[in-house]
Amino acid sequence: MFFPGSLATTLKIECIVEQTYGPWWQSLHRTMLRGILGKTFRLVGYTIQYACIAHCAFEYVGGVVMCSGPSMEPTIQNSDIVCAENLSRHFYGIQRGDIVIAKSPSDPKSNICKRVIGLEGDKILTSRPSDFFKSHNYVPTGHVWLEGDNLQNSTDSRYYGPVPYGLIRGRIFFKKSCS
Amino acid sequence: MAQSQGWVTRYFKAFCKGFFVAVPVAVTFLDRVACVARVEGASMQPSLNPGGSQSSDVVLLNHWKVRKFEVQRGDIVSLVSPKNPEQKIIKRVIALEGDIVKTIGHKNRYVKVPRGHIWVEGDHHGHSFDSNSFGPVSLGLLHAHATHILWPPERWQKLESVLPPERLPVQSEKESLHGSP
């Protein structure tokens, strides 16, 4: 082992080594560098490939989601794991009674999980539970009416109105039953 | 015989390998980074499609810029139509959440844009199906930001985020990053 002397000594030793061994030292440097560069590129390439496959799977097929909040009790409890599929959304097969995951109309970065009560053209009871007089409305074209199963404790279409179909992300088809 | 079978298997394996690499990467790029689209209709004249149906502009749509749903007043954006989810519409952002807009042809004279929504209008007022018809749109419907016109070559240009002075919001809560026009 070399004693870690001054920088000048190290450089001088390297120069001697280069002069003695010359092209062999340089080619060793080059292959080591190429090996490390090659491995890095391969790692980056695999990461990009798997990230793209994951994006395609979540966007077009489906995924596993964790729901939080009490608005869908007793169907879905807080912190339940559910499986959502996106094929129905792309083929416009969402029906009344489906539980869907949608982007929140007031905050596009968060998702909401509600049941589809009415499709476009349906007549819906739109008054809030606290109102005395009931009012009905028709769901406009291109929109759906969402309500949580826990009507007392759910902020849904009764508060922010009908939700555009374009905000729906996927349909829940399976819930992992917890103890 | 065995050699030709080996050749077919090797070709098939190479094809599958290429397919599963190229298709997801291309799809992800077109969904998340950028894509191109042809503009149809007269709702954005004279900025887009000034020649009408004779020559449609082709624009570059930048998804990456709107991945965090950050838009400025004056941006030309494409969004999923609230009335028809199969269709994308391209309009200019007039007002952001919290602004009060003076509408043209809407049932209310003044509208306050709710939280998480934007007000979009086409440049060709009267020939445009925009927020004056369907109200403020949710930011979740935002699809991409149109940044450049790519075709025809004589119209190759960068699209500026400029708001016509008569369409400035009456009152705005958020300060725009661009200076006053």
Side-chain angles (χ1 to χ4, degrees):
Chain A
M1 282 308 279
F2 276 125
F3 178 73
S6 67
L7 184 62
T9 323
T10 323
L11 281 174
K12 206 162 110 185
I13 294 168
E14 266 216 27
C15 281
I16 295 171
V17 167
E18 257 195 36
Q19 275 166 10
T20 320
Y21 297 102
W24 175 80
W25 183 255
Q26 290 170 13
S27 73
L28 180 69
H29 257 161
R30 239 179 278 130
T31 37
M32 269 172 59
L33 202 62
R34 206 178 293 155
I36 293 174
L37 263 179
K39 284 208 181 71
T40 318
F41 275 130
R42 230 187 321 218
L43 184 67
V44 168
Y46 278 135
T47 315
I48 292 179
Q49 185 190 342
Y50 289 134
C52 293
I53 292 180
H55 163 84
C56 287
F58 284 124
E59 183 75 23
Y60 295 104
V61 181
V64 179
V65 182
M66 190 179 90
C67 292
S68 61
S71 61
M72 283 299 290
E73 285 175 0
T75 320
I76 300 179
Q77 312 284 340
N78 193 10
S79 315
D80 261 354
I81 311 283
V82 296
C83 294
E85 53 93 3
N86 296 341
L87 299 168
S88 312
R89 157 171 84 108
H90 286 289
F91 293 115
Y92 303 101
I94 302 278
Q95 283 156 7
R96 281 176 212 91
D98 285 346
I99 304 178
V100 295
I101 294 180
K103 279 196 211 153
S104 165
S106 45
D107 179 18
K109 297 183 189 170
S110 64
N111 295 329
I112 55 174
C113 174
K114 304 279 180 234
R115 193 182 290 273
V116 174
I117 300 295
L119 301 174
E120 61 186 21
D122 291 351
K123 193 173 174 188
I124 295 288
L125 181 75
T126 59
S127 56
R128 301 181 192 183
S130 52
D131 291 347
F132 184 71
F133 292 105
K134 307 290 177 201
S135 61
H136 291 89
N137 249 319
Y138 289 96
V139 179
T141 47
H143 289 66
V144 294
W145 189 268
L146 302 178
E147 276 179 19
D149 285 351
N150 188 359
L151 286 173
Q152 260 70 350
N153 202 358
S154 163
T155 318
D156 47 35
S157 284
R158 293 169 299 161
Y159 292 86
Y160 43 69
V163 174
Y165 190 96
L167 289 179
I168 294 180
R169 313 284 300 141
R171 182 181 73 98
I172 294 178
F173 64 95
F174 177 73
K175 183 191 88 153
K176 176 180 172 301
S177 331
C178 298
S179 55
Chain B
M1 190 68 171
Q3 197 162 27
S4 75
Q5 264 192 355
W7 170 82
V8 168
T9 327
R10 268 187 289 125
Y11 185 78
F12 184 69
K13 275 190 191 159
F15 176 78
C16 280
K17 221 165 118 179
F19 183 82
F20 282 110
V21 169
V23 168
V25 171
V27 168
T28 309
F29 185 85
L30 293 176
D31 273 352
R32 291 277 173 149
V33 180
C35 62
V36 291
R38 181 178 290 273
V39 177
E40 275 160 25
S43 63
M44 282 298 289
Q45 285 178 350
S47 319
L48 297 175
N49 272 9
S53 50
Q54 279 111 355
S55 62
S56 303
D57 288 346
V58 173
V59 293
L60 177 71
L61 294 176
N62 191 341
H63 297 283
W64 191 252
K65 270 195 173 180
V66 297
R67 68 191 185 281
K68 293 196 186 140
F69 303 102
E70 282 164 6
V71 284
Q72 301 300 327
R73 294 179 196 88
D75 287 351
I76 300 184
V77 294
S78 74
L79 39 132
V80 177
S81 168
K83 289 297 183 186
N84 182 5
E86 299 178 27
Q87 202 186 40
K88 305 258 184 332
I89 57 177
I90 183 162
K91 300 282 177 269
R92 195 181 290 272
V93 175
I94 299 292
L96 304 175
E97 63 185 18
D99 295 350
I100 298 182
V101 187
K102 188 168 178 197
T103 66
I104 304 172
H106 191 66
K107 53 182 192 270
N108 301 329
R109 192 89 170 108
Y110 292 95
V111 169
K112 179 162 183 175
V113 181
R115 195 165 65 95
H117 287 66
I118 51 174
W119 187 269
V120 295
E121 279 179 13
D123 287 347
H124 196 179
H125 299 297
H127 285 78
S128 167
F129 182 60
D130 52 25
S131 283
N132 289 310
S133 311
F134 46 71
V137 288
S138 175
L139 268 173
L141 294 176
L142 201 59
H143 179 241
H145 178 189
T147 47
H148 294 80
I149 299 181
L150 297 179
W151 189 269
E154 55 267 17
R155 285 190 41 82
W156 202 94
Q157 64 185 265
K158 181 170 178 345
L159 290 167
E160 297 297 335
S161 296
V162 45
L163 201 55
E166 67 269 13
R167 299 306 302 146
L168 275 176
V170 167
Q171 181 191 317
S172 49
E173 273 182 21
K174 284 163 60 167
E175 278 309 309
S176 175
L177 286 181
H178 299 287
S180 52

